[in-house]
């Protein structure tokens, strides 16, 4: 990015130790922003922060598990001490869950909701005082194309991201009068460690998906562009856009396609 439209701004990204979050940290830094990088694996967050700092901005690595209230409070205290306020919060930390709703365990479903939904809510709530100090502040919530349409074998994850979409809409309205914008970015299939980090119902593994994945860097570029333009809704990858649109226009047809994706239940590997 040649110009630096985010110069002097502070961006906090959760899940910045890898994948989309780390790529987003670099893209915001290239656009001039100082960046707070948060995730659980501190050595990886520190490594990402070094790379971000090499771009000539300030980078603050913080070890933070967004499912733990004290970690989130400390994250905000460290952000305040270093920068005094926050211009953009990117709620990116998230995890997948694979398997039919009947086969996933209650513990797995709770774990995914604890991170994808409660984590996002917890971080956003704690960040509000810092966001309120900066005019034109933003919250960028990372959802998924699967938050717009439930698919078989992905129901737990889809439900968590649908909750993110609903919270985003509610928060957007709640904060509009204060001039704080709330954006939704919904990636499609993206190259990252997401599939390795995903939870699986016992005995269930997904075969390779015959779709071209987007790079995490391209997702990050689209995110920073949306952030710059204050674009409320960004759906990524061509198949992702087609799915979201087709589901809106011809939901019955999409139900039939989804049924074919579910049957026969032959993906068991154990
Ligand atoms: N990859 C895809 O195909 C895809 C598609 C659509 C949407 N998305 C969404 O994009 C976001 C980023 O995913 P990704 O593809 O970059 O996956 P990833 O490579 O697995 O990265 C996930 C990130 O979240 C962090 N994280 C996990 N649990 C955490 C916790 N409890 N507290 C703080 N950080 C935590 C991880 O770091 P630590 O382990 O160090 O904490 C890591 O940095 C997620 O919300 C995901 O749902 C991904």
């Amino acid at each position: 990015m040649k110009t630096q439209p985010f110069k002097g701004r502070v961006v906090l990204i959760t899940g910045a130790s890898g994948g989309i979050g780390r790529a987003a940290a670099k893209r915001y830094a290239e656009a001039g922003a100082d960046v707070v990088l948060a995730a659980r694996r501190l050595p990886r967050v520190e490594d990402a922060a070094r790379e971000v700092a090499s771009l000539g901005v300030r980078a603050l690595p913080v070890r933070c598990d967004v499912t733990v209230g004290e970690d989130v409070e400390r994250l905000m205290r460290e952000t305040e001490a270093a920068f005094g306020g926050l211009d953009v919060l990117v709620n990116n930390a998230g995890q997948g869950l694979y398997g039919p709703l009947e086969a996933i365990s209650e513990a797995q479903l709770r774990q995914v909701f604890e991170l994808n939904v409660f984590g996002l809510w917890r971080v956003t709530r704690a960040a509000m005082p810092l966001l309120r100090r900066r005019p034109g502040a933003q919250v960028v919530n990372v959802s998924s194309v699967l938050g717009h349409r439930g698919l078989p074998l992905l129901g737990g994850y889809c439900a968590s991201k649908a909750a993110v979409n609903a919270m985003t809409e509610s928060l957007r309205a709640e904060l509009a009068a204060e001039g704080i914008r709330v954006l939704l970015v919904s990636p499609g299939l993206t190259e990252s460690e997401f599939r390795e980090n995903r939870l699986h119902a016992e005995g269930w593994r997904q075969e390779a998906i015959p779709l071209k994945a987007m790079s995490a860097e391209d997702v990050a570029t689209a995110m920073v562009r949306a952030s710059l333009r204050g674009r409320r809704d960004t759906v990524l990858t061509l198949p992702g856009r087609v799915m979201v649109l087709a589901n809106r226009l011809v939901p019955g047809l999409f139900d039939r396609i989804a049924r074919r994706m579910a049957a026969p239940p032959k993906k068991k590997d154990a």
Side-chain angles (χ1 to χ4, degrees), residues 14-22 38-42 44-45 64-68 91-96 115-116 142-146 157 161 185-195 197-198 216:
T14 65
S17 62
I20 293 170
R22 180 171 177 150
R40 294 168 303 176
R41 290 169 292 175
L42 188 58
R44 286 186 54 154
V45 185
C64 172
D65 181 338
V66 300
T67 68
V68 176
N91 281 309
N92 165 75
Q95 187 175 32
L115 173 57
N116 296 1
V142 178
S143 177
S144 164
V145 295
L146 297 176
Y157 178 68
K161 291 298 189 178
V185 175
S186 304
L189 188 64
T190 304
E191 285 163 17
S192 71
E193 292 167 7
F194 182 78
R195 283 162 68 89
N197 292 335
R198 184 167 64 175

Side-chain angles (χ1 to χ4, degrees), residues 39-217:
R40 294 168 303 176
R41 290 169 292 175
L42 188 58
R44 286 186 54 154
V45 185
E46 286 175 336
D47 185 56
R50 271 191 294 276
E51 194 181 5
V52 166
S54 74
L55 296 167
V57 300
R58 290 173 68 197
L60 175 68
V62 181
R63 193 202 59 74
C64 172
D65 181 338
V66 300
T67 68
V68 176
E70 299 90 74
D71 277 17
V72 172
E73 294 303 328
R74 184 172 39 77
L75 170 64
M76 296 310 158
R77 279 200 304 278
E78 291 190 23
T79 302
E80 182 179 23
F83 299 109
L86 187 58
D87 296 280
V88 182
L89 166 65
V90 181
N91 281 309
N92 165 75
Q95 187 175 32
L97 172 57
Y98 184 78
L101 284 162
E102 187 183 352
I104 58 175
S105 71
E106 185 171 332
Q108 288 175 323
L109 186 60
R110 285 188 187 280
Q111 187 176 330
V112 164
F113 267 74
E114 187 51 56
L115 173 57
N116 296 1
V117 183
F118 286 88
L120 176 144
W121 165 79
R122 186 177 293 113
V123 172
T124 306
R125 202 168 66 142
M128 285 315 303
L130 297 187
L131 290 166
R132 286 198 168 102
R133 288 187 197 161
R134 302 291 177 111
Q138 279 182 0
V139 178
V140 179
N141 287 339
V142 178
S143 177
S144 164
V145 295
L146 297 176
H148 299 263
R149 161 78 213 196
L151 288 185
L153 310 181
L154 295 160
Y157 178 68
C158 291
S160 74
K161 291 298 189 178
V164 168
N165 294 3
M167 276 193 184
T168 302
E169 286 176 351
S170 300
L171 192 67
R172 182 180 292 144
E174 287 168 6
L175 300 181
E178 295 183 66
I180 299 175
R181 298 189 78 122
V182 184
L183 317 183
L184 189 70
V185 175
S186 304
L189 188 64
T190 304
E191 285 163 17
S192 71
E193 292 167 7
F194 182 78
R195 283 162 68 89
E196 292 91 89
N197 292 335
R198 184 167 64 175
L199 301 177
H200 294 87
E202 210 188 319
W204 288 83
R205 287 274 151 188
Q206 190 176 29
E207 289 167 357
I209 303 171
L211 287 176
K212 193 174 168 340
M214 203 166 168
S215 72
E217 287 71 25

Side-chain angles (χ1 to χ4, degrees), residues 252-263:
L253 172 67
F254 212 88
D255 282 350
R256 285 203 291 283
I257 296 171
R259 268 206 297 275
R260 249 187 266 146
M261 292 162 89

